[in-house]
């Protein structure tokens, strides 16, 4: 049975969509509900953000310096030897999420040598560290693996083992994690893993796992012949069957620095993108109706050595673009080129086998049934030796900006530089009018500390995105957003009683008087970086919210009228909206 908003409201939505140039793609087989009238088990709660409260009260406590301000964290990703070698140079990951269910964002910082730490958000830019593991970890993602409503910690180790810490916060008032808690293995997960992603790939309501190995590092540890004999490297999909993970090996080799789950062909199924390093071509697997996976090559141009993936609707036309970061000097100044020269000389020359690969950042844009690289059209420059790159509406003008962290240290290729280190500035690019990116050094995000993993989230409760970076051999950094521009809406999705309580894979469309803004709920993005499930929408000051559309992973659609009364308030800017669906497991 299909139910819809009253005709007047639907017409208003369609009128807004057309005026914004949005392509409204209906969901075949979906069920639509009004969240505030006939939706089964939908509750919506709104609370004011700190920024709104201060504005209403006239307080002047919120600093507005016009840029970002650095907070140094007591965490340094270390290396075993004074001179860093390949693979150690890759650094370690991070992940963001509300681990204690108190409403604010906590985070975890991985380490290659030393303490891997949870940082508990205690407000006012105070973060209390807690030891998770004294050892070596790579990638991180915070997801509710067992569906109990509490985020667990999943991580890949330097040895390629996937580890799991179960959150015990729901058990008799226990602390979420204890210092003595040992990591465990997920049942059935045995393949080597460097990067990881989570999502409901088979539409059965629980979370499945995707991993990719980094064979170059594994070969150095155990040898090529031994690695091949294990039959445990490459790309794996693990189907979650009541807590038992059933493996399918999609590729026997991988140099997987990045993984992305994205519907590439418009069939409403998540597809798998594997970003490979070392001039190995990226791999794409399309999800099929029968649960199988089809290897394909949909892109005419790809990066040469893919370091990072992220997706977002950067021109607000309703379609997601895909960004892939590569390595390339960000300037042709003689000094910059001198630093890079040994690397450029060792790069293999182009050959027919390289196919579509280019040593440059690539922006994939879907045009009909095809994808094309629009990096030049958007004026996306070379960004340096790039690692994590993510989209986010940093200045809250309704357009997604881009931030890339940079730097490299390795005695094999940079012994001609002090400390064997290529020191580069991180690159921030403002989305200028929805058709190009412009460097934004005035934001003061141009750190030279050697960034590796990075993610954005609102850590101080004022609504705008702050930036967290895990550096190599330098203290990790939190950059506080003090631009004080635009307004914001934060959205949390909850689906208790299902196996996907944070609605990973959901799409949100915010209909406003200034356009329609789209967001996707993902467990990870960029390089080795777990993302918060909380979605941020930046809004121009004069923007008025018309409605929020939630496309749940099982194709149920919830529409929330901006003018309706909601528990705790209404759908207005400068608020945190929690949409809870209590309909049990998806069928």
């Amino acid at each position: 049975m299909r139910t819809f908003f009253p005709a007047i409201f639907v017409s208003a939505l369609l009128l807004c969509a057309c005026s914004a140039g949005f392509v409204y793609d209906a969901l075949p087989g979906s069920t639509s509900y009004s969240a505030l009238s006939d939706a089964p088990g939908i509750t919506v709660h709104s609370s004011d953000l700190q920024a709104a409260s201060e504005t209403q009260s006239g307080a002047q406590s919120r600093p507005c310096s016009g840029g970002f301000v650095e907070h140094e964290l007591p965490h340094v990703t270390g290396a075993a030897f004074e001179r860093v070698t390949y693979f150690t140079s890759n650094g370690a990951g991070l992940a963001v999420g509300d681990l204690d269910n108190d409403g604010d964002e906590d985070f975890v910082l991985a380490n290659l040598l030393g303490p891997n730490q949870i940082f508990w958000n205690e407000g006012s830019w105070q973060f209390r560290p807690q030891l998770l593991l004294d050892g070596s970890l790579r990638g991180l993602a915070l997801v509710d693996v067992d569906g109990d409503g509490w985020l667990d910690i999943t991580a890949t180790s330097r040895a390629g083992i996937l580890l799991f810490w179960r959150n015990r916060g729901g058990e008799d008032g226990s602390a979420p994690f204890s210092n003595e808690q040992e990591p465990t293995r997920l049942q059935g997960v045995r393949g080597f893993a460097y990067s990881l992603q989570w999502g409901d790939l088979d539409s059965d309501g629980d979370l499945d796992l995707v991993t990719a190995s980094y064979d170059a590092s594994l070969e150095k540890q155990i040898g090529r012949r031994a690695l091949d004999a294990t039959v445990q490297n490459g790309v794996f999909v693990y189907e979650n069957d009541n807590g038992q993970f059933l493996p399918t090996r999609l590729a026997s080799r991988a140099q997987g620095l990045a993984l992305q789950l994205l519907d590439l062909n418009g069939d409403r199924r998540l597809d798998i993108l594997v970003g490979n390093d070392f001039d190995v071509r990226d791999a794409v697997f399309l999800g099929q109706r029968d649960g199988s996976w089809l290897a394909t090559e949909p892109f005419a141009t790809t990066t040469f050595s893919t370091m990072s993936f992220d997706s977002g609707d950067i021109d607000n036309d309703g379609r997601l673009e895909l960004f892939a970061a590569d390595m390339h000097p960000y300037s042709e100044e003689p000094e910059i080129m001198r630093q890079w020269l040994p690397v450029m000389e060792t790069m293999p020359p182009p050959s027919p086998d390289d196919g579509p690969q280019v040593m440059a950042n690539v922006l994939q844009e879907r045009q009909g049934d095809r994808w094309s690289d629009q990096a030049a059209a958007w004026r996306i420059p070379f960004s340096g030796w790039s690692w994590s790159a993510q989209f986010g509406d940093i200045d809250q003008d309704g357009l997604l900006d881009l931030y890339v962290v940079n730097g490299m240290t390795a005695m094999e290729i940079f012994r001609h530089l002090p400390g064997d280190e290529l020191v580069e500035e991180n690159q921030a690019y403002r989305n200028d009018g929805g058709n190009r990116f412009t460097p934004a050094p005035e934001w003061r995000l141009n750190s030279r500390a050697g960034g590796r993993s990075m993610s954005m989230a609102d850590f101080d409760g004022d609504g705008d995105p702050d930036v967290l970076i895990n550096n190599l051999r330098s203290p990790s950094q939190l950059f506080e957003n003090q631009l004080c521009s635009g307004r914001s809406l934060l959205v949390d999705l909850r689906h208790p009683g299902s196996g996907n309580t944070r609605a990973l894979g959901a799409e949100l469309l915010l209909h406003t008087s200034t356009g329609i803004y789209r967001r996707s709920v993902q467990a990870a993005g960029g390089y080795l970086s777990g993302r918060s499930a909380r979605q941020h929408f930046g809004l121009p000051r004069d923007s008025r919210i018309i409605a929020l559309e939630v496309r749940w992973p099982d194709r149920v659609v919830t529409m929330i009228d901006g003018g309706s009364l909601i528990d705790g308030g209404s759908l207005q800017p400068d608020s945190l909206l929690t949409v809870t669906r209590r309909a049990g497991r998806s069928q």
Side-chain angles (χ1 to χ4, degrees):
M1 178 179 178
R2 226 178 256 197
T3 55
F4 296 90
F5 266 140
I8 294 177
F9 181 67
V10 174
S11 298
L13 280 184
L14 292 177
L15 177 61
C16 174
C18 294
S19 64
F22 173 74
V23 180
Y24 191 94
D25 45 346
L27 290 172
S30 65
T31 305
S32 298
Y33 297 103
S34 163
L36 303 178
S37 56
D38 55 2
I42 293 288
T43 59
V44 184
H45 177 79
S46 176
S47 58
D48 289 338
L49 294 169
Q50 176 182 329
S53 300
E54 290 173 355
T55 300
Q56 293 166 3
S57 65
Q60 300 297 319
S61 59
R62 186 187 183 201
C64 296
S65 66
F68 281 76
V69 173
E70 177 189 349
H71 299 265
E72 189 174 284
L73 296 167
H75 180 93
V76 178
T77 295
F81 304 100
E82 182 178 351
R83 300 191 72 179
V84 175
T85 60
Y86 257 133
F87 311 127
T88 299
S89 60
N90 289 18
L94 58 81
V96 179
D98 183 3
L99 288 168
D100 51 5
N101 285 346
D102 66 350
D104 53 28
E105 301 278 29
D106 310 300
F107 56 89
V108 182
L109 296 176
N111 208 328
L112 294 181
L113 181 70
N116 300 264
Q117 300 182 94
I118 303 171
F119 283 79
W120 299 103
N121 191 340
E122 298 187 330
S124 301
W125 290 101
Q126 300 299 309
F127 298 89
R128 174 175 55 86
Q130 176 186 338
L131 178 67
L132 175 70
L133 174 75
D134 195 350
S136 186
L137 297 181
R138 285 290 194 190
L140 287 166
L142 308 183
V143 295
D144 185 5
V145 177
D146 53 6
D148 66 352
W150 295 78
L151 291 176
D152 308 302
I153 300 174
T154 60
T156 61
S157 72
R158 190 177 182 186
I161 300 171
L162 192 136
L163 302 174
F164 167 67
W165 287 263
R166 182 174 177 270
N167 192 323
R168 300 173 178 174
E171 299 177 355
D172 302 323
S174 302
F177 303 96
S178 68
N179 291 336
E180 297 77 27
Q181 185 174 350
E182 294 292 331
T184 61
R185 301 285 296 272
L186 293 173
Q187 294 184 39
V189 179
R190 291 293 179 265
F192 290 117
Y194 186 94
S195 52
L196 74 163
Q197 268 284 12
W198 291 87
D200 185 5
L201 297 174
D202 52 7
S203 301
D204 66 349
D206 57 22
L207 291 179
D208 309 301
L209 171 67
V210 183
T211 65
S213 62
Y214 192 50
D215 292 355
S217 178
L218 293 171
E219 288 173 10
K220 188 174 181 62
Q221 294 178 53
I222 65 176
R224 173 67 179 270
R225 182 174 299 179
L227 178 61
D228 290 342
T230 67
V231 198
Q232 294 299 321
N233 59 309
V235 181
F236 281 86
V237 172
Y238 295 93
E239 179 186 349
N240 188 346
D241 184 12
N242 294 318
Q244 176 73 30
F245 289 85
L246 309 178
T248 299
R249 195 184 192 198
L250 300 183
S252 60
R253 301 283 292 169
Q255 306 289 359
L257 296 185
L259 280 171
Q260 184 81 0
L261 301 181
L262 183 68
D263 178 13
L264 288 171
N265 56 0
D267 65 354
R268 300 297 173 187
R269 295 180 182 85
L270 290 175
D271 306 309
I272 299 171
L273 290 81
V274 184
N276 284 313
D277 193 10
F278 287 114
D279 69 39
V280 176
R281 295 175 68 164
D282 292 346
V284 177
F285 303 94
L286 300 180
Q288 305 297 292
R289 185 182 296 273
D290 63 0
S292 63
W293 297 90
L294 175 66
T296 185
E297 296 183 356
F299 304 122
T301 304
T302 66
T303 43
F304 196 73
S305 299
T306 303
M307 311 294 285
S308 180
F309 276 141
D310 199 20
S311 59
D313 183 7
I314 60 176
D315 52 6
N316 293 336
D317 68 348
R319 297 187 178 97
L320 296 178
E321 285 75 36
L322 174 70
F323 179 76
D326 203 338
M327 311 171 295
H328 195 287
Y330 56 63
S331 168
E332 294 185 356
E333 295 179 6
E335 177 58 24
I336 299 294
M337 296 306 296
R338 182 192 70 81
Q339 296 176 17
W340 273 79
L341 185 59
V343 179
M344 305 297 283
E345 289 178 340
T346 60
M347 295 299 294
S351 71
D353 293 337
D354 293 336
Q357 292 171 275
V358 295
M359 190 177 174
N361 295 331
V362 169
L363 179 67
Q364 306 286 3
E365 187 173 276
R366 189 175 179 182
Q367 298 176 339
D369 294 331
R370 305 182 64 181
W371 292 82
S372 65
D373 177 18
Q374 297 297 311
W378 276 80
R379 303 184 187 179
I380 295 179
F382 303 122
S383 52
W385 196 296
S386 303
W387 296 94
S388 191
Q390 290 188 14
F391 292 120
D393 190 355
I394 294 173
D395 57 357
Q396 300 197 136
D397 63 351
L399 296 166
L400 289 174
D401 309 297
L402 177 65
Y403 186 51
V404 185
V405 297
N406 287 334
M408 181 59 176
T409 307
M411 62 179 293
E412 295 91 339
I413 53 177
F414 291 118
R415 61 175 67 247
H416 63 294
L417 299 179
D420 307 321
E421 183 176 9
L422 175 69
V423 179
E424 295 185 312
E425 291 187 350
N426 298 340
Q427 302 293 305
Y429 304 104
R430 182 179 63 253
N431 189 329
D432 192 355
N435 54 34
R436 66 178 181 179
F437 285 105
T438 303
E442 67 275 12
W443 289 348
R444 300 197 296 272
L445 283 169
N446 52 343
S447 169
R448 297 162 61 91
R452 296 300 187 266
S453 53
M454 176 273 296
S455 200
M456 303 182 200
D458 175 23
F459 291 102
D460 55 358
D462 64 355
D464 54 23
D466 309 300
V467 179
L468 173 67
I469 304 174
N470 191 357
N471 299 303
L472 178 64
R473 298 199 305 176
S474 296
S476 297
Q477 299 163 300
L478 253 178
F479 286 91
E480 178 184 354
N481 191 333
Q482 294 187 0
L483 293 176
C484 297
S485 56
R487 306 180 74 181
S488 59
L489 177 72
L490 301 179
V491 181
D492 276 337
L493 299 183
R494 295 289 184 268
H495 193 180
S498 77
N500 185 7
T501 62
R502 298 305 191 275
L504 297 182
E507 298 280 343
L508 295 90
L509 284 79
L510 186 66
H511 301 253
T512 78
S513 59
T514 52
I516 301 180
Y517 311 125
R518 181 173 182 170
R519 300 291 184 267
S520 303
V521 185
Q522 301 179 39
Y527 170 73
L528 298 182
S529 302
R531 308 189 72 155
S532 172
R534 178 174 292 173
Q535 297 302 299
H536 166 261
F537 293 91
L539 298 165
R541 287 285 178 186
D542 59 349
S543 185
R544 178 175 57 85
I545 296 176
I546 298 173
L548 175 67
E549 177 182 353
V550 181
R551 300 178 173 186
W552 300 88
D554 62 354
R555 299 189 179 187
V556 166
V557 179
T558 300
M559 303 287 285
I560 304 169
D561 183 352
S564 300
L565 294 178
I566 297 172
D567 179 26
S570 59
L571 181 51
Q572 298 294 331
D574 301 317
S575 61
L576 167 62
L577 194 73
T578 303
V579 182
T580 304
R581 176 182 168 191
R582 300 184 181 277
R585 284 186 178 273
S586 306
Q587 300 296 325

